[in-house]
Amino acid sequence: MLRTATTYRGPGSLLSRNVFVSPILPYSRTTLTAATLKPPQLHTKSSGTTAWVHWSRTMATTTTNTPPATGAIAPSKKAPKEKPASKFSSTLLLPKTPFPIRSEGATREAELQSRYTTDLYPWQRVNNPGELFVLHDGPPYANGHLHLGHALNKLIKDFVNRYRVMRGFRVDYRPGWDCHGLPIELKALAELKVKDRSQLSPMDIRTVAQASALSAIEVQKKEFLSYGIMGDFDNGYVTMSKDFETRQLKVFHEMMNKGLIYRANKPVYWSPSSQTALAESELEYKDDHKSRSAWVGFEVEKPSEALYKVLPKSASLKAVIWTTTPWTLPANRCVAVHPKLSYTLFRASNSLDPSAVYLAATDRMGEMKRRFNSSTGGTSGTEVTLDTIGEVLGQDLVGAKYKHPLTTESLPFITADYVTADSGSGLVHTAPGHGMDDYKACLPLGIEAYCPVDNVGKFTAEAGKDLEGLHVQTDGTAKVIDILKEKGSLIQEQAYVHKYPYDWRTKKPVILRATSQWFANVGTIKEDALKAIENVRIVPESARRRLEGFVQSRTEWCISRQRSWGVPIPVLYEVETDEPLLTGASVQHIINMVKEHGTDAWWTMSTEELLAPEYRNNGKEYRRGFDTMDVWFDSGTSWTMIEEKMPRPHLPFVADVYSEGSDQHRGWFQSSLLTSVALTGKAPYGTLITHGFLLDEKGFKQSKSLGNTVDPAVVIFGGKNLQKNPAYGTDVLRLWAASSEYTKDIAIGKTILSQVAESVRKFRITARFLLGNLNGFKENEQVKYEDLSRLDKFMLAEVYQFSKNVTSGYDDLLFNKVFTQLQYFTSTTLSSFYLDIIKDSLYSDAEKSLQRRAIQTVLFHTLNAFTRSIAPLAPHLSEEVYEHYRDCFATPQPSVFRSGWLHAPESWNNIQLRDEFSVLKQLRGEANQLLEQARAAKLIGSSLEATIEIQLTGSPISSVGEDVSRSQGLGPDQDQDHQQHQQFNDRHHKISAWSLGELLNSYADELKSLFITSDVSLTRSPSGATSRVDLPNIKDTQVFTRDVLVPGLGTCRMVLRRATMHKCPRCWTFTSVEADTLCARCAPVVAALQP
């Protein structure tokens, strides 16, 4: 079996339980874990540079220590004991940087924020050489403070924009605000504090609503900027500006000219609580709505010919209907049946009227038995029996008449294909004023859409004096049922729980109510709309079906609303006939007035002024209408700003990207699509990004009523109690969003934020180490690639792959993949491997030595990759890091965002080295296991106190092949690494057909550095040897052994012993010939430093 290290990631990391007065701890061998606490900082002055004392407590084991540069301080509140400084400490090249471990984001971010927001945006628009990239902002309501959903939405957009800026595009991003609509109007009414709304003029409401929206925009603008959002905030768009409203009316005009706008008196969703029509997108459905449903008998007063033949003489026939909305019965105009269904005439044994015969669908007779068993008017005590008298087809019922159960009107039976025998009685009470199916069935028959219900959901006088003034969904329903009981028409009342639409703003149930409204004919353009989105990139792809479904199911769009605060429907009506004046000349004249005076002109100017000159003296009197446009029509025409200000006719879309929550598939995504296709024939977006909603840590949807919301301002600046709600700063908020799988619903809470903050701290520790060791380094001092060691070249191969993976993550809009790559790269590739190995050379080699400069060259490229890759996600951290090593560059830039994207030449992509090191890393893991065993047995403390002998035991000559790539426990985000290995195998590139022995001989001089021991030696056992005659007894506590298999390459045995040479007092390796003398490496370095 292949052995691999599992829990131990050493023998080193960037933290230690020991504390040194030095900028960065050298030689600390501790795995960075989630248990690591935040280190406090002590600022001291040392040689003109700021140094830090940092302390951390971890659950890992310290394996190797380094002599402190100055005194050591124990992590205790008591004064630490002074330890004598090493006489060689001043000769060590310890890291130096003023970059702090703790970000103090809430206080420091403001210092750099303008650099990567308000300064960056205009710079990139002018100076970036690439093409224009437009991310069009979906406008939030200009109402109140921002919540976490706003933050998530804007951050996703900012990740996209910043990445594009760094790739050289000229990004256009103009934040927008939706200023009209019910929420803002309700706020205005609340501010006016008037109970009777009828006392207010439209201009009273509009004036306050406009002021409220303007105030909210300024508040939200500051809050968006606090999130580090880059955009043209000085030139954002608002839907209440004259410019925007004029373009919107032009869209209405063009759609009217294409025959897509019409007026009709038909049922629409109506909110009594808001007193306005609603679109489907303004509804939410409650699954547990409870209704008082009723089973009613409609008395047939004139049977059809087929019924007459079957019905017994002197029998009274009642058609059974079922309704979940008894309040719609006053508006009943007919009963619908399916022409091909069979209907049964039957008697019920418990009926009080022996002459009563009932009519229901034959397939519903089982349901009829259940209903009559508990019938209101029947006799009880025995189970009811139903006696069949005869059957007729639904089409044979046409011509029959029944008596309205409330008004005694004589009304007809009609046929309709939507009638089924799946529920109810198979006969459908039809009220064309309260249902779309009913309306469509009645329209060709000339049956009016009668609706005796007013704006507030109360019965009008037309419903009768017993019902007038009663609210239809409460006391009105109760009264209708009482009247049915009195007339003997009620068979049974039944409580019914079902799904029902509610007003998404007021959270109150809506009704369907026939009113005269304006509509856009969607049916004629929806096929074009569906075709337009075939080539749209939709993220996630699963959202495509949802958007297509909403478009496919839609035939019309009610675009009128009964509000004061909005863009008016630009139509005048003839007073005498109520006919609309819907002509090109009339609408264009109104558009001209709005362009000059704004939409307030509709309420402040006279009708004569609003009337086009050619209609002023035609002998007709006109009035203006007071309907306003649906706010989805407002925001749905916002793409016209792009077409007007930055047209790109060569593209098959208007904007490059739209990005909003999943609720916008039936909202802004759809309204924008329909208006754009209607006018331009193309989709408004090339890419459509959809994100989920917010959950708490327990998986519950966040809501104010549950008290589980998270305020983004508290995340950034902290709460009243900073221990309970610490000030994390903007980068933690941003990296929370980046680390989340935003295409699904996203959880957030204190534990999650704490974990993200810990990740930020680890990023900063890694950056601080890199910065500290680049102290004094200049870009022009880089070592050529061919002069680098194989370890350094391997690290650049890792940087290459990291850069490739990060770029792929950004291109795929998978920001959580980028975040995971950053975590793996910094903690595993860097901290647990490369940085762990090269610290000895960095601190102990001569400052100008080739090896040290080579390492610094690699660190320089590594820091560039890290800083640029994290920049779109955490701009403050990246700017702060860049600020601390900008002087390394030959041509430093004012901002990291002006330095371009990741640069990783193809020459770094050394696949053979990556495969060789996959074997060496496995062996390093095996060595770590031995070191742990020896440490547990107290044979050694530091790994430098050990030597390892590798006995090669007859290794076969073979390639690394597929086995090696499989043997390495790939990180959670090394899918592309694995694919690279697979491609390597497919192309038959091998590790030069080496055996394990040949590979190890090739790296013989580097193994002790890789294992961080004082020596590694290679020996060969006789081929096929299985005995251990050359070894002490396996139970000898001075020796530890481990057999290792590397599939495809061979086997070996590792033997660990305590080092026999003396400890070098400078580098602490056990490589000195005599006690208290410098080793062969350190002696000439120190000698060269002597004056």
Side-chain angles (χ1 to χ4, degrees):
M1 293 292 291
L2 176 70
R3 299 188 184 96
T4 58
T6 54
T7 60
Y8 181 71
R9 293 171 57 188
S13 181
L14 303 184
L15 294 180
S16 169
R17 288 182 296 180
N18 295 318
V19 181
F20 304 103
V21 180
S22 97
I24 303 268
L25 291 181
Y27 285 26
S28 51
R29 311 293 183 207
T30 305
T31 301
L32 192 60
T33 70
T36 305
L37 302 178
K38 292 184 177 180
Q41 301 169 100
L42 299 177
H43 296 273
T44 63
K45 295 293 182 179
S46 174
S47 304
T49 62
T50 304
W52 283 263
V53 177
H54 80 85
W55 167 80
S56 67
R57 184 174 62 204
T58 74
M59 296 172 64
T61 304
T62 301
T63 64
T64 303
N65 297 320
T66 262
T70 55
I73 301 176
S76 171
K77 295 182 180 179
K78 297 181 179 180
K81 294 182 179 180
E82 293 291 337
K83 292 185 178 180
S86 168
K87 63 180 179 179
F88 298 110
S89 60
S90 61
T91 69
L92 294 172
L93 295 171
L94 299 177
K96 294 180 181 179
T97 177
F99 182 82
I101 291 179
R102 297 180 65 180
S103 65
E104 302 293 347
T107 56
R108 290 180 181 160
E109 284 172 349
E111 300 170 8
L112 296 174
Q113 197 168 82
S114 61
R115 183 186 300 175
Y116 57 80
T117 54
T118 53
D119 294 346
L120 176 62
Y121 184 83
W123 177 88
Q124 59 88 25
R125 288 288 278 133
V126 174
N127 294 281
N128 265 2
E131 296 180 355
L132 181 67
F133 177 85
V134 181
L135 194 155
H136 186 46
D137 191 35
Y141 273 117
N143 184 32
H145 288 277
L146 300 176
H147 55 66
L148 197 61
H150 292 116
L152 173 66
N153 177 263
K154 283 294 192 289
L155 291 175
I156 291 171
K157 295 171 183 176
D158 200 56
F159 299 157
V160 175
N161 285 337
R162 289 185 181 278
Y163 171 61
R164 289 289 175 168
V165 166
M166 298 188 77
R167 295 305 300 263
F169 288 85
R170 292 177 294 114
V171 170
D172 186 275
Y173 176 66
R174 305 174 189 224
W177 277 273
D178 205 342
C179 302
H180 296 131
L182 181 62
I184 298 169
E185 183 167 337
L186 291 177
K187 186 174 182 180
L189 290 170
E191 290 180 15
L192 288 167
K193 298 179 181 179
V194 176
K195 292 183 179 180
D196 186 0
R197 181 180 169 184
S198 63
Q199 298 176 8
L200 299 172
S201 70
M203 282 308 300
D204 290 335
I205 298 171
R206 288 177 63 84
T207 301
V208 177
Q210 184 181 51
S212 176
L214 286 171
S215 175
I217 288 171
E218 291 306 309
V219 170
Q220 292 184 4
K221 187 184 296 185
K222 291 179 181 177
E223 292 175 336
F224 281 135
L225 285 170
S226 74
Y227 305 159
I229 306 299
M230 177 197 68
D232 193 354
F233 281 90
D234 293 333
N235 295 291
Y237 74 91
V238 294
T239 61
M240 64 182 178
S241 70
K242 286 192 292 185
D243 179 59
F244 189 98
E245 292 172 335
T246 300
R247 288 198 307 271
Q248 180 178 336
L249 289 172
K250 287 179 179 178
V251 173
F252 178 93
H253 191 192
E254 291 192 47
M255 291 181 69
M256 180 198 78
N257 289 337
K258 292 179 182 240
L260 298 175
I261 303 295
Y262 65 94
R263 186 188 187 217
N265 181 51
K266 61 199 300 184
V268 296
Y269 287 110
W270 185 271
S271 172
S273 55
S274 299
Q275 299 179 43
T276 185
L278 298 178
E280 175 70 32
S281 57
E282 296 172 299
L283 304 175
E284 60 184 22
Y285 287 84
K286 187 177 179 182
D287 292 327
D288 58 351
H289 179 82
K290 184 178 289 187
S291 294
R292 296 179 67 179
S293 71
W295 295 83
V296 185
F298 283 15
E299 183 180 346
V300 179
E301 61 178 10
K302 180 188 174 183
S304 64
E305 184 177 344
L307 282 174
Y308 189 80
K309 292 178 180 179
V310 179
L311 190 66
K313 292 182 179 180
S314 70
S316 61
L317 179 62
K318 293 184 178 182
V320 180
I321 66 94
W322 177 59
T323 177
T324 61
T325 54
W327 61 267
T328 62
L329 286 172
N332 173 267
R333 297 288 88 194
C334 54
V335 168
V337 297
H338 195 283
K340 300 303 181 182
L341 279 180
S342 173
Y343 290 85
T344 295
L345 287 77
F346 65 92
R347 281 195 172 99
S349 61
N350 65 343
S351 175
L352 296 177
D353 181 1
S355 67
V357 175
Y358 297 93
L359 178 68
T362 304
D363 291 343
R364 300 300 295 167
M365 293 306 293
E367 183 68 23
M368 290 303 99
K369 187 171 183 179
R370 285 189 290 273
R371 294 306 132 211
F372 277 88
N373 258 327
S374 51
S375 163
T376 302
T379 59
S380 59
T382 58
E383 184 174 352
V384 69
T385 59
L386 304 181
D387 297 326
T388 299
I389 295 173
E391 295 181 5
V392 296
L393 286 176
Q395 62 191 17
D396 294 331
L397 296 175
V398 177
K401 296 275 188 172
Y402 68 91
K403 187 186 295 184
H404 192 290
L406 301 178
T407 67
T408 71
E409 293 175 90
S410 184
L411 299 171
F413 285 82
I414 67 169
T415 58
D417 289 337
Y418 67 83
V419 178
T420 71
D422 295 335
S423 62
S425 64
L427 296 100
V428 178
H429 141 61
T430 303
H434 294 299
M436 275 308 300
D437 287 337
D438 300 22
Y439 173 81
K440 291 175 183 177
C442 292
L443 184 63
L445 301 175
I447 301 174
E448 66 171 331
Y450 173 61
C451 176
V453 180
D454 65 15
N455 289 0
V456 294
K458 293 182 178 181
F459 284 120
T460 64
E462 292 177 294
K465 64 179 182 179
D466 290 338
L467 296 173
E468 182 181 2
L470 300 180
H471 196 284
V472 297
Q473 292 179 311
T474 53
D475 47 2
T477 292
K479 186 62 177 177
V480 168
I481 291 174
D482 288 344
I483 294 173
L484 292 173
K485 288 179 181 178
E486 292 171 7
K487 293 181 176 288
S489 299
L490 184 67
I491 296 172
Q492 184 190 27
E493 179 187 346
Q494 177 189 5
Y496 184 66
V497 177
H498 59 123
K499 190 176 183 178
Y500 194 85
Y502 277 62
D503 184 328
W504 73 326
R505 288 294 173 186
T506 64
K507 310 300 181 184
K508 299 291 180 63
V510 303
I511 61 175
L512 277 162
R513 173 177 177 258
T515 60
S516 292
Q517 301 288 342
W518 288 94
F519 297 87
N521 184 354
V522 176
T524 59
I525 60 173
K526 69 179 179 181
E527 291 304 321
D528 291 335
L530 290 168
K531 187 171 182 62
I533 59 176
E534 285 181 359
N535 295 321
V536 173
R537 178 188 180 191
I538 298 181
V539 180
E541 179 60 29
S542 58
R544 183 182 301 277
R545 187 179 300 174
R546 178 177 168 86
L547 177 60
E548 289 175 342
F550 280 123
V551 174
Q552 186 69 54
S553 63
R554 197 168 192 176
T555 58
E556 61 188 13
W557 173 10
C558 180
I559 63 170
S560 55
R561 296 292 182 272
Q562 289 62 53
R563 312 304 313 175
S564 297
W565 180 229
V567 176
I569 301 285
V571 179
L572 298 167
Y573 300 86
E574 189 178 341
V575 172
E576 184 177 348
T577 63
D578 199 40
E579 283 297 311
L581 182 61
L582 194 65
T583 66
S586 176
V587 174
Q588 185 59 55
H589 177 74
I590 294 168
I591 291 174
N592 294 340
M593 293 296 101
V594 170
K595 185 176 182 179
E596 183 177 355
H597 304 287
T599 52
D600 281 351
W602 189 255
W603 284 270
T604 59
M605 298 179 76
S606 66
T607 303
E608 185 76 7
E609 292 173 297
L610 294 172
L611 191 62
E614 51 263 54
Y615 300 106
R616 290 177 183 172
N617 298 303
N618 63 358
K620 296 180 180 180
E621 183 182 359
Y622 294 92
R623 66 173 179 84
R624 79 194 79 190
F626 291 104
D627 290 342
T628 55
M629 290 192 192
D630 176 16
V631 291
W632 294 118
F633 199 93
D634 289 17
S635 59
T637 60
S638 60
W639 56 266
T640 57
M641 174 186 67
I642 304 168
E643 282 286 275
E644 181 180 283
K645 296 182 183 298
M646 53 200 104
R648 297 181 293 174
H650 62 287
L651 294 177
F653 49 79
V654 178
D656 292 274
V657 174
Y658 274 39
S659 177
E660 299 297 329
S662 57
D663 57 330
Q664 297 307 315
H665 290 118
R666 62 176 186 173
W668 188 57
F669 291 161
Q670 189 179 161
S671 64
S672 298
L673 175 66
L674 295 174
T675 55
S676 179
V677 168
L679 268 64
T680 70
K682 58 186 182 182
Y685 31 72
T687 296
L688 193 64
I689 304 172
T690 302
H691 63 77
F693 295 101
L694 296 171
L695 309 173
D696 64 16
E697 290 181 313
K698 297 179 181 179
F700 293 106
K701 183 179 178 180
Q702 289 196 15
S703 68
K704 291 182 179 178
S705 60
L706 294 176
N708 63 347
T709 58
V710 176
D711 185 349
V714 172
V715 175
I716 296 172
F717 303 107
K720 294 180 179 179
N721 184 338
L722 290 176
Q723 288 188 332
K724 184 178 180 182
N725 294 298
Y728 285 119
T730 300
D731 278 346
V732 168
L733 179 68
R734 294 177 65 97
L735 287 172
W736 158 76
S739 65
S740 304
E741 191 174 354
Y742 67 83
T743 58
K744 301 177 180 178
D745 290 344
I746 305 164
I748 187 173
K750 292 181 180 179
T751 302
I752 293 172
L753 287 171
S754 177
Q755 291 169 348
V756 175
E758 178 66 12
S759 294
V760 172
R761 191 175 72 86
K762 293 178 181 179
F763 289 152
R764 295 183 69 87
I765 289 172
T766 301
R768 187 168 185 256
F769 180 86
L770 297 173
L771 289 168
N773 284 289
L774 285 173
N775 179 46
F777 179 80
K778 299 297 180 183
E779 186 177 15
N780 58 14
E781 297 175 337
Q782 294 183 73
V783 174
K784 293 180 181 179
Y785 180 79
E786 54 269 24
D787 294 331
L788 299 177
S789 70
R790 285 182 293 183
L791 173 64
D792 294 334
K793 289 179 179 179
F794 165 70
M795 187 59 217
L796 289 183
E798 293 288 273
V799 171
Y800 172 89
Q801 190 62 51
F802 167 73
S803 301
K804 185 177 178 180
N805 292 347
V806 164
T807 301
S808 172
Y810 279 115
D811 286 338
D812 294 339
L813 303 170
L814 300 177
F815 309 116
N816 61 326
K817 175 182 177 181
V818 176
F819 181 81
T820 306
Q821 286 288 331
L822 283 162
Q823 284 186 309
Y824 187 85
F825 183 68
T826 54
S827 65
T828 302
T829 306
L830 288 175
S831 178
S832 293
F833 185 70
Y834 183 71
L835 302 184
D836 194 29
I837 294 168
I838 52 86
K839 278 185 284 188
D840 176 66
S841 291
L842 281 173
Y843 302 159
S844 302
D845 286 358
E847 183 173 8
K848 301 297 183 181
S849 67
L850 177 64
Q851 183 172 337
R852 190 172 189 277
R853 280 299 185 209
I855 292 171
Q856 286 185 307
T857 299
V858 174
L859 295 184
F860 179 71
H861 291 307
T862 301
L863 186 56
N864 283 338
F866 168 79
T867 307
R868 293 173 186 178
S869 63
I870 203 172
L873 309 183
H876 176 263
L877 172 58
S878 62
E879 284 287 11
E880 191 180 4
V881 171
Y882 187 74
E883 177 84 8
H884 284 81
Y885 82 112
R886 184 166 51 188
D887 292 342
C888 292
F889 292 89
T891 55
Q893 298 296 322
S895 166
V896 67
F897 290 97
R898 302 190 190 188
S899 64
W901 188 235
L902 304 177
H903 177 67
E906 188 64 33
S907 60
W908 293 359
N909 186 25
N910 193 322
I911 299 175
Q912 179 162 323
L913 268 182
R914 287 170 62 83
D915 284 289
E916 289 176 11
F917 269 88
S918 69
V919 177
L920 296 173
K921 287 167 76 174
Q922 178 197 341
L923 295 174
R924 172 180 152 96
E926 301 292 341
N928 287 341
Q929 294 287 342
L930 275 179
L931 290 166
E932 282 295 286
Q933 293 174 26
R935 187 176 297 108
K938 302 188 183 304
L939 175 66
I940 62 170
S942 159
S943 63
L944 294 175
E945 297 176 36
T947 64
I948 291 179
E949 176 190 353
I950 300 179
Q951 295 185 343
L952 301 169
T953 54
S955 304
I957 296 178
S958 178
S959 68
V960 66
E962 184 177 353
D963 287 337
V964 171
S965 65
R966 286 182 176 175
S967 71
Q968 302 311 301
L970 296 181
D973 297 281
Q974 286 191 305
D975 293 342
Q976 295 192 18
D977 294 3
H978 182 69
Q979 291 171 10
Q980 187 76 62
H981 277 291
Q982 190 59 50
Q983 292 169 6
F984 160 72
N985 291 328
D986 294 341
R987 294 193 305 266
H988 305 290
H989 286 164
K990 310 299 183 182
I991 305 181
S992 304
W994 278 0
S995 68
L996 180 60
E998 290 170 321
L999 176 63
L1000 291 177
N1001 278 319
S1002 169
Y1003 283 88
D1005 294 337
E1006 294 148 280
L1007 292 176
K1008 65 178 181 180
S1009 296
L1010 289 172
F1011 294 174
I1012 313 182
T1013 57
S1014 287
D1015 188 37
V1016 174
S1017 59
L1018 299 177
T1019 60
R1020 180 174 292 277
S1021 297
S1023 178
T1026 57
S1027 66
R1028 299 187 180 182
V1029 295
D1030 57 327
L1031 295 177
N1033 189 292
I1034 193 171
K1035 296 182 180 180
D1036 191 330
T1037 58
Q1038 299 301 306
V1039 176
F1040 292 87
T1041 65
R1042 190 173 183 86
D1043 292 328
V1044 180
L1045 166 67
V1046 180
L1049 281 184
T1051 60
C1052 67
R1053 177 176 297 150
M1054 287 187 173
V1055 183
L1056 181 146
R1057 300 180 179 87
R1058 183 174 175 82
T1060 57
M1061 296 188 73
H1062 296 279
K1063 181 178 181 180
C1064 174
R1066 181 172 180 267
C1067 68
W1068 285 15
T1069 60
F1070 284 72
T1071 54
S1072 294
V1073 178
E1074 298 179 4
D1076 298 323
T1077 60
L1078 296 174
C1079 65
R1081 186 263 308 266
C1082 290
V1085 174
V1086 173
L1089 295 173
Q1090 300 300 320

